[in-house]
Amino acid sequence: MPVNENDPARSWWSKAVVYQIYPRSFADSNGDGVGDLRGVIERLDYLSTLGVDVLWLSPVYPSPHDDNGYDISDYQDIDPLFGTLADFDELLAAVHDRGMKLVMDLVVNHTSDEHPWFTASRDGGPAGSKRDWYIWRPARDGMEPGTPGAEPNNWGSFFSGPTWSYDEASGEYYLHLFSRKQPDLNWENPEVRQAVFAMMRWWLDRGVDGFRMDVVNLISKAPGLPDGVVHEGSLHGDGSPHYICGPRIHEYLAEMHREVFADHPRPLLTVGEMPGVTVEQARLFTDPSRRELDMVFQFEHVGLDQGPGGKFDVRPLRLTDLKASLGRWQTGLGDTGWNSLYWNNHDQPRVVSRFGDDSPAHRDRSAKLLATVLHLHRGTPYIYQGEELGMANAPFDAIEDFRDIESLNHFRQRTALGADPESVLAGLRHRGRDNARTPVQWDATHHAGFTTGTPWIAVNPDHTHVNAAAQAADPDSVLHHYRRLIELRHTEPAVTHGDFHMLHPDDEQLYAFTRRHADSRTELLVLANFGGTAHTVELPEGWEDTDTLIANVSSDVPLRRTHTLRPWEARVQRRVL
Ligand code: TEU
């Protein structure tokens, strides 16, 4: 069943733009150096002026913050670091007052090891009533429990080291795909699923408008938890084929839909974060007739600049690879499924530094080009805080400048094995998640107006010239370009529903495509020059002298059949069919 353009329950999010808030780094209202809910409340007018429809709030629940809140110790409260439930209710009401919606982060592949479910599971021992809520296994056959190599299987964790930690008291190991403080829940257990669904209903009853579901395609593990292949240069086995889109994943998501979302009176949004998901799987997850999810985050395009040595092994992006990948997702989900579109989130380096050019000469223009390309695709665009300002990667110097558990563990592990610290740091500087987590740059003052105290992570020194206050006052800014793109999504049916057709797939510098929408008799042509040199392109017939809908350089040059684009130029043409 195609996504029905006229069905309001389905179509509201096809015209929506989502803005992700990472509360810790957004705005600090009380001077403790960490962003909080009242800080978000104070900045809501900024977000409503930008024009976004939905806010996604990264986790604000009580947490020991081993992974900045993605390790939850109580699903039904707010961490005092961020405020109180009363602050949350006030925020939700203020969001709704401005005609926006609020989506919560749902982290239910794992909990914190300090969640009462886990402490009961651990402390009750193998016969305890909550033992089976998590994934416990004895040591490998014939091995002494707790000794190196005795782990139940050879899987490596996302955050370095094995996916198993040993509990001496019971003599067994528990599974954690992420840190040892993030034990995986056992979704095979129906009590676990019911507890999660009840918690989700509690938030919906409170008035939230949906969920972004953290690594939700990892919740079903293959029976027997078989060993993974050990790739060259890796210390551990790759367990991912045994937990990415595992055997019961569709069953669990359909059950969640039935138990939580079906027939809900308010329009909701569900988006599943899915590392390793394929186009074919994503089409199933997002086919409305299957009633699983509205859309998913896929990771293919953010893996294209990664070498064989893993995420910190950086290689240059080939534009043809990016176009082939995103183009395949555009046509692959077709009329059946739905894409979510993103360059950035709290786990990715800043896109202007990664796929654009953050040098002073090209920064603004390349940030606007990247925005234009993404927002003209078919799907729901996500903006990560600060992206709308063209915020760049941070100038991290020493390991002490980093805060993220993934980066710190990686550094510790690699250097312990004898790697050159400087080369490990080079990878972290390019790819480390802290690049996304430096505070939002509100103005040119000390600490960028983020806090009156000492920020938990250093503010990027470039805030003196890259900040929201300066850009709000400049109609040519990256910020205003984003505002215009969001408005286009709201007003131009071809942006929302037009067919996607890639042009010049083999050109290494040009990203070009059309969006054709028969109902509104409109076709759009998007042209983007991904490089710091001029680039000449042959256009298809019939685009000469058409209107420019939006551009990142003054659009006084009429379009010619053979047209030379200026460095990092992006423009969108419109014609009537
Ligand atoms: O991320 C899962 C994920 O696959 C990543 O993008 C992750 O950061 C990367 O693979 C690590 O190399 C989600 C959250 O977005 C992330 O912040 C959490 O740390 C993680 O799950 C665990 O909850």
Side-chain angles (χ1 to χ4, degrees):
M1 183 168 66
V3 178
N4 184 345
E5 292 185 27
N6 303 315
D7 172 357
R10 296 249 161 76
S11 65
W12 78 267
W13 43 251
S14 61
K15 285 218 282 248
V17 177
V18 184
Y19 186 97
Q20 182 191 353
I21 295 176
Y22 192 68
R24 172 178 274 277
S25 305
F26 189 70
D28 173 21
S29 72
N30 64 357
D32 66 357
V34 178
D36 47 46
L37 294 179
R38 303 214 69 84
V40 178
I41 294 173
E42 286 167 14
R43 299 291 179 174
L44 284 181
D45 287 333
Y46 168 83
L47 298 172
S48 84
T49 305
L50 181 58
V52 295
D53 306 277
V54 182
L55 306 181
W56 146 28
L57 206 55
S58 275
V60 287
Y61 318 93
S63 163
H65 294 277
D66 188 52
D67 185 20
N68 286 0
Y70 283 88
D71 48 321
I72 299 170
S73 53
D74 180 353
Y75 285 111
Q76 292 175 214
D77 204 348
I78 300 295
D79 195 297
L81 195 60
F82 297 127
T84 63
L85 268 176
D87 294 329
F88 178 83
D89 290 338
E90 193 180 321
L91 168 64
L92 185 58
V95 169
H96 287 162
D97 281 349
R98 287 165 179 78
M100 298 185 287
K101 298 186 195 300
L102 186 76
V103 162
M104 297 298 273
D105 216 307
L106 181 81
V107 189
V108 291
N109 172 70
H110 44 271
T111 67
S112 163
D113 67 337
E114 297 181 32
H115 193 292
W117 295 345
F118 184 76
T119 52
S121 180
R122 184 188 56 210
D123 301 343
S129 64
K130 280 217 163 51
R131 188 61 161 189
D132 190 44
W133 280 47
Y134 292 82
I135 303 173
W136 291 94
R137 293 289 183 276
R140 196 180 274 274
D141 261 354
M143 299 283 291
E144 180 63 30
T147 59
E151 291 83 14
N153 72 21
N154 69 355
W155 298 357
S157 134
F158 281 90
F159 293 158
S160 306
T163 51
W164 298 95
S165 284
Y166 183 54
D167 171 51
E168 220 164 292
S170 65
E172 289 189 332
Y173 292 81
Y174 64 90
L175 179 79
H176 53 88
L177 296 184
F178 294 89
S179 95
R180 57 166 54 234
K181 288 185 66 62
Q182 292 170 298
D184 282 48
L185 280 164
N186 177 19
W187 275 71
E188 302 270 329
N189 184 335
E191 283 174 20
V192 168
R193 303 202 296 275
Q194 284 310 321
V196 167
F197 301 154
M199 172 273 280
M200 293 171 76
R201 288 189 294 260
W202 185 85
W203 282 104
L204 290 180
D205 290 346
R206 221 173 173 94
V208 309
D209 304 295
F211 298 96
R212 173 270 185 188
M213 304 176 187
D214 194 67
V215 290
V216 77
N217 67 328
L218 310 187
I219 60 179
S220 167
K221 277 85 176 169
L225 311 177
D227 277 339
V229 174
V230 184
H231 300 299
E232 209 189 311
S234 178
L235 295 175
H236 300 280
D238 174 11
S240 65
H242 307 299
Y243 56 71
I244 288 181
C245 299
R248 297 183 69 183
I249 184 63
H250 291 286
E251 175 198 333
Y252 294 156
L253 291 176
E255 182 183 20
M256 178 191 282
H257 192 283
R258 273 197 315 277
E259 296 277 327
V260 180
F261 302 118
D263 305 317
H264 198 276
R266 290 196 314 279
L268 302 175
L269 183 150
T270 60
V271 50
E273 188 209 25
M274 298 201 166
V277 73
T278 61
V279 180
E280 293 69 32
Q281 283 283 1
R283 192 165 46 218
L284 298 177
F285 287 121
T286 64
D287 175 348
S289 69
R290 294 174 56 93
R291 297 176 181 276
E292 295 182 21
L293 294 172
D294 294 334
M295 57 191 104
V296 304
F297 292 126
Q298 56 96 3
F299 283 73
E300 209 176 271
H301 65 302
V302 290
L304 296 173
D305 55 350
Q306 181 175 307
K311 88 172 258 184
F312 296 107
D313 178 14
V314 183
R315 68 165 185 209
L317 173 76
R318 284 170 36 152
L319 188 68
T320 46
D321 290 345
L322 183 67
K323 292 189 290 184
S325 171
L326 289 178
R328 193 155 30 74
W329 280 85
Q330 287 289 292
T331 47
L333 293 194
D335 283 335
T336 309
W338 192 253
N339 272 292
S340 47
L341 309 168
Y342 74 94
W343 291 133
N344 272 127
N345 59 42
H346 63 292
D347 297 329
Q348 300 294 331
R350 293 286 182 177
V351 72
V352 69
S353 306
R354 185 182 195 178
F355 297 157
D357 181 343
D358 63 10
S359 69
H362 298 303
R363 174 188 189 132
D364 280 16
R365 217 190 263 181
S366 67
K368 292 178 195 168
L369 172 142
L370 287 159
T372 308
V373 168
L374 191 82
H375 283 246
L376 266 291
H377 277 71
R378 184 182 160 105
T380 299
Y382 286 70
I383 300 170
Y384 176 68
Q385 64 184 38
E387 180 188 333
E388 77 281 12
L389 306 172
M391 277 179 63
N393 281 351
F396 296 123
D397 179 27
I399 190 64
E400 290 71 30
D401 296 338
F402 291 86
R403 297 285 176 276
D404 178 22
I405 179 169
E406 180 186 45
S407 294
L408 299 178
N409 284 359
H410 178 76
F411 183 83
R412 198 176 306 126
Q413 192 206 52
R414 291 289 140 173
T415 52
L417 290 169
D420 165 37
E422 202 35 56
S423 74
V424 182
L425 279 173
L428 297 185
R429 286 187 197 114
H430 273 108
R431 211 37 82 62
R433 305 193 298 180
D434 284 327
N435 282 303
R437 301 176 181 185
T438 63
V440 172
Q441 295 164 203
W442 296 106
D443 57 40
T445 63
H446 195 47
H447 298 321
F450 164 71
T451 183
T452 53
T454 306
W456 70 277
I457 188 170
V459 172
N460 194 321
D462 71 9
H463 71 273
T464 50
H465 57 280
V466 179
N467 64 69
Q471 294 197 20
D474 172 8
D476 268 344
S477 62
V478 179
L479 176 64
H480 280 284
H481 192 78
Y482 269 87
R483 193 182 49 68
R484 286 191 283 271
L485 286 169
I486 296 164
E487 199 176 296
L488 267 186
R489 167 120 347 224
H490 294 155
T491 53
E492 180 59 68
V495 173
T496 310
H497 290 295
D499 291 340
F500 181 95
H501 180 65
M502 189 73 81
L503 302 173
H504 297 292
D506 299 326
D507 191 314
E508 279 299 349
Q509 194 169 332
L510 174 75
Y511 201 129
F513 55 94
T514 56
R515 303 289 314 280
R516 192 183 172 89
H517 189 243
D519 286 5
S520 62
R521 298 181 49 233
T522 310
E523 187 171 24
L524 308 177
L525 169 69
V526 180
L527 298 172
N529 175 13
F530 265 74
T533 54
H535 193 65
T536 301
V537 299
E538 287 297 316
L539 297 181
E541 230 169 293
W543 288 99
E544 298 94 312
D545 298 315
T546 47
D547 290 340
T548 304
L549 203 56
I550 189 167
N552 67 351
V553 262
S554 70
S555 54
D556 51 358
V557 183
L559 207 61
R560 295 282 162 254
R561 190 74 198 275
T562 302
H563 191 90
T564 300
L565 293 165
R566 289 165 279 185
W568 292 106
E569 177 172 358
R571 57 195 285 171
V572 182
Q573 305 296 127
R574 183 179 200 273
R575 72 178 178 190
V576 177
L577 291 172

